[in-house]
């Protein structure tokens, strides 16, 4: 009887161990597919290690996650662990290397899973323009292999990415590492042979340099393993031309989506010269190359049902960055006697105050990153008035000298839905910027 009792205990233990062994194998299998946890629908869990290409931890100066409503920001970190995020968010990475504060912002479209990423804080002393692509972020089990070829005679970069199907890998290419030094190059075509190319994001770093990140990997991918290939073609711009354009349009740190993935954003941004003539472009990014002068720029791909996109009166100058962050105004916020920051060179991070009193509006703006104003003289804003209010004049006091701004030069006025929308170009060097009206 005792032996039978021991037999029962042994059988129970073996059964438990067998069940444990089976469950462990399932857990390992599930872990391999990042699905061992039940996560609320619409959310994913992310882990990110910030590292060098040699695998050593590296400190990110700033890291922002946003979908416009959800917003989290971190400073001076080397990793993110077990962060629950909405599936569709934009991620802004800022790290210092060499002479650069490099920022890369990209959108990840996740799928209710656990994701483990490596983000590579690239050594900017070693990154080169055009001739070489780099892995920027990847799932740790993506098994990514990147090969490339540069054709000097045609200014074309061809690269191929081999990775585990469905795994996210983002590849970055610097279009121009020194935007304020000649010669400058722009991206003119992007040929692709890949079902898994799901998007692209552009970035501008400090001092001014531009790159393009292409995102690979989708939950909708077929299970057949494919090598994804891209061909980037670049072209030198005339030495007396300067790039102008919009890096991205964002809402509280979230990159507003484009209507398609044809990547030619120049088609969806209107640029007019001072005489109202439309500027055509052959560039994908940066979008336009033009001589110095006055221009009017408007994105036309943003949802009109949710946002209003004012035209900004851009002044293009040598040795200045004219590629801007653009902030559309939510229609619910478009109200009389309000001021809205609409565009800036990203790294300035402008803090603006607008004081409305009696018959004048006083505007003051300061850049958080004061060194960035060496590369950008202006920020752009909008004053919203009712149509009954008459704008008399706009004065700018600078170094003891008062100048009167000119309409259709320094500012423009449009009328919409019973509102008067005044788009302004405001110098960072302004000591006192005053808009005078007959009443408020």
């Amino acid at each position: 009887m005792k032996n039978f009792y021991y037999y029962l205990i042994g059988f129970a233990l073996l059964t438990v161990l067998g069940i444990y062994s089976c469950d462990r194998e399932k857990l390992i299998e599930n872990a391999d597919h990042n699905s061992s946890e039940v996560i609320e629908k619409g959310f994913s869990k992310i882990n990110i290690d910030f590292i060098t290409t040699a695998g050593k931890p590296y400190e990110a100066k700033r890291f922002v996650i946003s979908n416009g409503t959800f917003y989290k920001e971190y400073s001076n970190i080397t990793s993110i662990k077990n962060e629950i995020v909405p599936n569709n968010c934009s991620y802004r990475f800022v790290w210092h290397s060499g002479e650069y504060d490099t920022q890369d912002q990209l959108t990840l479209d996740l799928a209710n899973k656990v994701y483990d990423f490596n983000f590579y804080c690239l050594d900017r002393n070693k990154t080169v323009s055009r001739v070489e692509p780099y892995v920027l972020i990847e799932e740790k089990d993506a098994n990514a292999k990147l090969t490339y070829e540069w054709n000097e005679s045609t200014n074309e970069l061809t690269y191929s990415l081999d990775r585990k199907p469905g795994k996210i890998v983002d590849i970055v290419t610097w279009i121009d590492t020194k935007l304020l030094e000649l010669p400058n190059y722009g991206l003119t075509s992007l040929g692709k042979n890949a079902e898994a190319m799901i998007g692209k994001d552009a970035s501008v770093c400090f001092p001014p340099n531009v790159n393009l990140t292409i995102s690979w990997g989708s939950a909708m991918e077929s299970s057949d393993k494919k090598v994804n290939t891209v061909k980037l073609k670049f072209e030198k711009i005339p030495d007396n031309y300067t790039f102008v354009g919009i890096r991205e349009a964002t809402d509280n740190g979230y990159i507003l989506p484009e209507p398609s993935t044809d990547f030619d954003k120049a088609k969806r941004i209107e640029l007019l010269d001072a005489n109202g003539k439309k500027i055509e472009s052959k560039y994908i990014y940066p979008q336009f190359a033009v001589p110095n002068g006055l221009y009017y720029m408007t994105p036309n791909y943003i949802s009109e049902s949710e946002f209003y996109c004012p035209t900004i009166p851009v002044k293009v100058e040598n040795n200045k960055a004219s590629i801007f962050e653009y902030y559309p105004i939510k229609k619910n916020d478009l109200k009389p006697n309000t001021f809205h920051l609409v565009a800036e060179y990203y790294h300035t991070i402008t803090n603006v105050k607008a004081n409305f009193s009696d018959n004048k509006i006083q505007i003051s703006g300061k850049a958080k990153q004061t060194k960035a104003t060496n590369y950008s003289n202006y920020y752009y804003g909008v004053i919203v008035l009712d149509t009954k209010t008459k704008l008399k004049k706009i004065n700018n006091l600078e170094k003891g000298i008062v100048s009167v701004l000119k309409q259709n030069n320094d500012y423009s006025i449009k009328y919409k839905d019973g509102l008067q929308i005044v788009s302004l170009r405001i110098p960072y060097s302004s000591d006192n910027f005053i808009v005078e009206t007959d009443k408020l």
Side-chain angles (χ1 to χ4, degrees), residues 169-181:
V169 181
D170 278 33
I171 306 297
V172 63
T173 305
W174 261 268
I175 299 170
D176 204 314
T177 56
K178 293 186 181 295
L179 204 57
L180 302 185
E181 294 182 12

Side-chain angles (χ1 to χ4, degrees), residues 307-425:
F307 295 96
Y308 174 71
C309 294
T311 297
I312 58 173
V314 177
K315 188 174 184 179
V316 177
E317 301 172 307
N318 281 339
N319 299 316
K320 300 296 176 183
S322 294
I323 303 169
F324 302 102
E325 298 285 292
Y326 186 90
Y327 312 120
I329 305 171
K330 286 187 175 178
K331 284 197 168 180
N332 291 339
D333 296 332
L334 205 62
K335 300 174 183 177
N337 300 339
T338 56
F339 174 87
H340 306 271
L341 177 66
V342 173
E344 63 179 338
Y345 169 48
Y346 165 70
H347 286 274
T348 51
I349 313 177
T350 312
N351 181 24
V352 187
K353 294 180 181 179
N355 182 29
F356 290 74
S357 61
D358 297 331
N359 60 346
K360 69 178 182 181
I361 307 152
Q362 187 170 358
I363 301 171
S364 61
K366 298 296 180 185
K368 182 178 179 181
Q369 177 83 278
T370 55
K371 288 183 180 179
T373 58
N374 294 331
Y375 308 105
S376 181
N377 286 335
Y378 308 96
Y379 62 97
Y380 297 84
V382 159
I383 291 173
V384 184
L385 305 170
D386 61 45
T387 52
K388 295 179 181 179
T389 300
K390 183 179 179 182
L391 193 152
K392 296 170 68 176
K393 63 178 179 178
I394 303 176
N395 293 332
N396 177 45
L397 174 64
E398 194 172 322
K399 297 180 180 178
I401 299 173
V402 177
S403 57
V404 179
L405 274 63
K406 297 178 181 179
Q407 187 174 349
N408 299 326
N409 184 316
D410 306 298
Y411 68 95
S412 62
I413 301 176
K414 287 189 177 181
Y415 298 90
K416 180 178 177 62
D417 301 331
L419 297 172
Q420 185 178 183
I421 299 168
V422 185
S423 294
L424 303 159
R425 182 177 65 250

Side-chain angles (χ1 to χ4, degrees), residues 134-383:
Y134 306 91
V135 176
L136 185 66
I137 186 171
E138 63 176 343
E139 289 188 69
K140 292 183 178 181
D141 60 349
N143 298 330
K145 295 179 179 62
L146 181 63
T147 57
Y148 64 92
E149 180 181 350
W150 169 251
N151 188 322
E152 185 72 32
S153 63
T154 61
N155 271 318
E156 289 180 317
L157 171 68
T158 303
Y159 73 73
S160 296
L161 174 65
D162 188 358
R163 65 190 165 80
K164 190 184 293 185
K167 294 298 178 179
I168 294 172
V169 181
D170 278 33
I171 306 297
V172 63
T173 305
W174 261 268
I175 299 170
D176 204 314
T177 56
K178 293 186 181 295
L179 204 57
L180 302 185
E181 294 182 12
L182 300 177
N184 294 136
Y185 287 81
L187 178 67
T188 57
S189 69
L190 193 159
K192 58 185 183 296
N193 178 23
E195 64 169 345
M197 182 189 287
I198 58 172
K200 71 104 185 69
D201 299 291
S203 290
V204 180
C205 309
F206 173 80
N209 62 107
V210 289
N211 68 53
L212 185 79
T213 302
I214 295 177
S215 301
W216 304 86
S218 167
M220 303 303 292
E221 266 185 89
S222 66
S223 59
D224 296 333
K225 192 167 185 178
K226 291 182 174 66
V227 176
N228 310 126
T229 302
V230 157
K231 180 177 286 187
L232 306 172
K233 185 173 179 59
F234 306 92
E235 186 172 310
K236 178 181 175 297
I237 69 170
D239 288 348
N240 60 335
Y241 276 41
T242 298
F243 280 122
V244 60
I246 293 172
R247 185 198 73 86
E248 300 286 0
T250 62
D251 173 36
N252 192 31
Y254 174 64
I255 299 174
L256 294 173
E258 298 183 34
S260 69
T261 57
D262 65 7
F263 303 113
D264 196 353
K265 192 183 290 181
K267 294 178 181 177
R268 297 192 287 277
I269 296 175
E270 183 179 74
L271 187 70
L272 306 178
D273 67 13
N275 299 316
K277 181 182 177 182
K278 185 176 180 179
I279 306 296
E280 301 296 337
S281 177
K282 59 183 175 182
Y283 299 100
I284 293 176
Y285 184 69
Q287 292 101 13
F288 299 92
V290 296
N292 289 350
L294 300 172
Y295 297 89
Y296 299 94
M297 185 163 59
T298 315
N300 52 23
Y301 67 92
I302 309 299
S303 168
E304 294 183 1
S305 62
E306 188 177 358
F307 295 96
Y308 174 71
C309 294
T311 297
I312 58 173
V314 177
K315 188 174 184 179
V316 177
E317 301 172 307
N318 281 339
N319 299 316
K320 300 296 176 183
S322 294
I323 303 169
F324 302 102
E325 298 285 292
Y326 186 90
Y327 312 120
I329 305 171
K330 286 187 175 178
K331 284 197 168 180
N332 291 339
D333 296 332
L334 205 62
K335 300 174 183 177
N337 300 339
T338 56
F339 174 87
H340 306 271
L341 177 66
V342 173
E344 63 179 338
Y345 169 48
Y346 165 70
H347 286 274
T348 51
I349 313 177
T350 312
N351 181 24
V352 187
K353 294 180 181 179
N355 182 29
F356 290 74
S357 61
D358 297 331
N359 60 346
K360 69 178 182 181
I361 307 152
Q362 187 170 358
I363 301 171
S364 61
K366 298 296 180 185
K368 182 178 179 181
Q369 177 83 278
T370 55
K371 288 183 180 179
T373 58
N374 294 331
Y375 308 105
S376 181
N377 286 335
Y378 308 96
Y379 62 97
Y380 297 84
V382 159
I383 291 173

